[in-house]
Amino acid sequence: PPKFKVTIVGSGNWGSVASKLIASNTLKLSSFHDEVKMWVFEEMLPGGEKLTDSINLTNENVKYLPGIKLGHNVVADPDLENAVSDANMLVFVTPHQFMEGICKRLVGKIRSDAQAISLIKGMEVKKEGPCMISTLISQQLGVNCCVLMGANIANEIAVEKFSEATVGYRGNRDIAEKWVQLFSTPYFAVSACQDVEGVELCGTLKNVVAIAAGFVDGLDMGNNTKAAIMRIGLREMKGLSKLLFSSVKDSTFFESCGVADLITTCLGGRNRRCAEAFAKNGGKRSFDDLEADMLQGQKLQGVSTAKEVYEVLKHKGWLEMFPLFTTVHEICVGRLPPTAIVDYNEHAPKHP
Ligand code: NAD
Ligand code: 13P
């Protein structure tokens, strides 16, 4: 039978770790081609070298994942259309705000038998309502698109500390199993769950809760307050997911993509870290400024997701049902002070 050929679209912090996981498996599994292509958004390193050349020479992404070998079978390619042209398994892992443009460029450029998976935590908001990134990919490119989400801080997986992840799929379980096979290692335990919307909404919405957790840390409010924020956040995640898609299952929130990702991101993620600095500065430094200063080119997803969620809630008339999501956005844009993150007394969430 013909072998599967993998291309990774994206090469940031998580994209680079994903390439390491995948490249170790394509060497071991006979049903995959050894070579893994990785599309790199080209940029110049401070020494004047192109990032792509540096990755191909050193086998390391010195900007987004320094000190980690990706695998000699990873080939970086700055040409998006060329990178995807012969792949039939496409892994999308860029910050979510770039995906609309990337999908537009890829229309008509991918193989007709291609399968896709999205590792991207975020959504787009259209006039018709929210559009999950996997839906954007499947609608624009005419492919089936699974998702992989979980408690997965990339730098920890890069040094092979154990973690779990959830593949969300609809329809064909065989394809989900193929993705599970491609990602699983002894230190990365992946399981499949037939709830693509639930898995993707967990990964997306927890980034808003992580911003709230960061505010709590920045204000030194302590562990009980942070736990309260995580509980209220989880309840809003479940409430909104089920209102948007009645098919979302309760059990999904107990998978790695649900409560576990919420916990790890609220303890150790980038969204938490920048939100902590935002609150410490009393909201006087903008998130754009903090992101540029603290993340060296890596991107926050929680602030834009809070805005996107706010637009959906406003459009649907649901703002009052989701006080935590609503308040996070209002703090981010400066309409409320960071201390407002615990002002819930008057309107507790009314949804189930
Ligand atoms: P990142 O935060 O490291 O972002 C940097 C990447 O964005 C670089 O590859 C850069 O080249 C690219 N980029 C910058 N400008 C661009 C443009 N105009 N067009 C296209 N690309 C551009 O990225 P990441 O950590 O790989 O995150 C990707 C997705 O994975 C996000 O949705 C994130 O939430 C999710 N995720 C991240 C982690 C993590 O720990 N880093 C873990 C799980 C999921
Ligand atoms: P941050 O983007 O906040 O670092 O979260 C990473 C993540 O999604 C962990 O699963």
Side-chain angles (χ1 to χ4, degrees):
K3 291 189 175 196
F4 292 94
K5 202 153 192 345
V6 185
T7 289
I8 300 165
V9 176
S11 54
N13 189 230
W14 182 218
S16 299
V17 176
S19 81
K20 176 183 156 158
L21 290 168
I22 290 170
S24 73
N25 279 328
T26 59
L27 288 180
K28 286 193 201 120
L29 300 167
S30 58
S31 56
F32 294 91
H33 278 280
D34 286 356
E35 185 184 281
V36 175
K37 275 205 189 139
M38 178 170 77
W39 173 65
V40 175
F41 178 74
E42 191 65 286
E43 61 186 286
M44 290 295 180
L45 295 172
E49 193 183 8
K50 286 182 178 160
L51 178 59
T52 312
D53 292 341
S54 166
I55 293 172
N56 287 332
L57 207 68
T58 64
N59 201 229
E60 205 180 303
N61 187 339
V62 291
K63 173 142 184 198
Y64 296 104
L65 192 67
I68 303 292
K69 293 290 176 199
L70 304 181
H72 62 82
N73 49 328
V74 174
V75 176
D77 186 343
D79 180 337
L80 177 63
E81 289 79 357
N82 187 58
V84 299
S85 61
D86 57 356
N88 55 358
M89 290 184 87
L90 296 170
V91 178
F92 290 94
V93 53
T94 69
H96 79 280
Q97 58 269 37
F98 304 128
M99 274 311 294
E100 204 153 21
I102 288 171
C103 282
K104 281 209 180 92
R105 283 178 59 187
L106 289 182
V107 173
K109 301 285 163 51
I110 65 171
R111 273 173 60 162
S112 58
D113 62 344
Q115 291 287 333
I117 193 165
S118 170
L119 278 50
I120 300 165
K121 295 173 177 172
M123 61 164 86
E124 291 285 326
V125 181
K126 312 260 183 212
K127 270 199 270 6
E128 317 83 74
C131 175
M132 302 310 294
I133 300 298
S134 70
T135 310
L136 182 77
I137 293 167
S138 58
Q139 284 179 352
Q140 297 266 320
L141 305 181
V143 291
N144 177 57
C145 190
C146 293
V147 299
L148 181 145
M149 307 277 145
N152 298 148
I153 290 181
N155 290 334
E156 297 179 14
I157 301 167
V159 292
E160 307 190 0
K161 292 179 177 173
F162 177 78
S163 71
E164 300 178 307
T166 315
V167 164
Y169 70 99
R170 69 165 62 79
N172 189 341
R173 181 152 186 125
D174 293 349
I175 288 155
E177 291 298 344
K178 203 81 208 158
W179 290 117
V180 168
Q181 216 187 7
L182 184 65
F183 281 93
S184 297
T185 72
Y187 61 90
F188 196 65
V190 188
S191 52
C193 173
Q194 191 173 18
D195 181 7
V196 71
E197 288 87 4
V199 173
E200 193 169 7
L201 275 160
C202 277
T204 298
L205 296 175
K206 65 85 192 171
N207 282 335
V208 182
V209 188
I211 299 281
F215 294 153
V216 165
D217 285 347
L219 296 168
D220 274 328
M221 290 174 150
N223 294 326
N224 295 337
T225 306
K226 192 150 148 187
I229 290 295
M230 286 161 71
R231 184 195 70 80
I232 297 166
L234 184 60
R235 187 160 132 170
E236 293 197 8
M237 285 164 58
K238 176 165 158 265
L240 181 55
S241 301
K242 289 187 154 226
L243 277 176
L244 290 175
F245 297 96
S246 58
S247 59
V248 168
K249 297 175 184 164
D250 283 354
S251 56
T252 301
F253 296 87
F254 293 94
E255 299 292 338
S256 179
C257 63
V259 67
D261 195 9
L262 177 71
I263 292 170
T264 201
T265 313
C266 288
L267 296 180
R270 301 167 297 183
N271 285 290
R272 186 216 67 81
R273 190 149 56 89
C274 291
E276 178 182 42
F278 181 91
K280 274 210 165 89
N281 285 289
K284 288 193 183 62
R285 284 185 72 187
S286 72
F287 271 103
D288 282 349
D289 185 25
L290 292 165
E291 176 186 71
D293 194 31
M294 298 173 71
L295 298 186
Q296 286 94 38
Q298 294 182 34
K299 300 285 178 196
L300 288 179
Q301 306 283 261
V303 178
S304 46
T305 302
K307 178 170 186 277
E308 286 141 11
V309 167
Y310 187 93
E311 283 168 14
V312 171
L313 296 178
K314 193 167 177 194
H315 182 75
K316 302 259 191 197
W318 295 345
L319 282 172
E320 288 206 349
M321 294 160 73
F322 297 93
L324 185 129
F325 289 161
T326 302
T327 304
V328 168
H329 174 64
E330 292 188 326
I331 295 172
C332 288
V333 297
R335 278 207 294 272
L336 287 173
T339 49
I341 200 62
V342 289
D343 287 346
Y344 289 113
N345 305 342
E346 279 158 32
H347 44 209
K350 293 187 191 69
H351 55 82

